[in-house]
Amino acid sequence: MTILIVGGAAQGKTAFAKTISPQTEIVDNLHAIVKAAMQEGRPIPKAEEFLGKTVVCNELGCGVVPMDAMERDWREHTGRLCCDLAARADRVYRVCCGIPQCIKEETCAW
């Protein structure tokens, strides 16, 4: 099962991930993985690499648009990766203030 959990920084996403999928590999900080790949000149990860895992990512597009081109590209690539992953995921949650909100699944229960 593939699960994507998004939300602002320090909102309890990882703690929530541990409660809903204790047996599944958790990939924390997807946004940092994308940034490191870009900085090191490696290929940007693809959604296929995360299928069958629980993926946690900060939301990056809710603030001021950065002047730095690399920062804008990083946000764009991370956002597109999350869109692709969300389309393929079995469940998608958004966590705000430690409260999860199911945004994709027929029966949202935790």
Side-chain angles (χ1 to χ4, degrees):
M1 176 176 296
T2 304
I3 300 172
L4 175 63
I5 302 170
V6 296
Q11 294 294 309
K13 297 179 301 294
T14 302
F16 174 64
K18 291 176 183 175
T19 66
I20 62 167
S21 56
Q23 306 302 324
T24 306
E25 180 183 349
I26 296 173
V27 178
D28 205 0
N29 298 315
L30 179 64
H31 56 284
I33 293 169
V34 172
K35 189 172 206 172
M38 291 177 70
Q39 290 173 334
E40 296 167 10
R42 293 184 283 116
I44 294 169
K46 304 276 189 220
E48 294 82 16
E49 299 173 39
F50 303 103
L51 298 179
K53 301 175 183 176
T54 297
V55 181
V56 178
C57 187
N58 281 3
E59 289 181 338
L60 302 176
C62 296
V64 176
V65 176
M67 291 183 65
D68 181 68
M70 190 281 192
E71 289 289 317
R72 288 192 307 271
D73 287 345
W74 165 56
R75 289 175 184 219
E76 181 73 19
H77 288 301
T78 302
R80 290 190 183 278
L81 176 57
C82 282
C83 287
D84 192 15
L85 194 53
R88 298 167 185 232
D90 300 293
R91 296 183 194 166
V92 179
Y93 296 94
R94 182 171 189 275
V95 178
C96 183
C97 299
I99 300 170
Q101 178 184 23
C102 182
I103 57 178
K104 180 183 178 184
E105 184 187 35
E106 286 186 29
T107 57
C108 293
W110 49 82

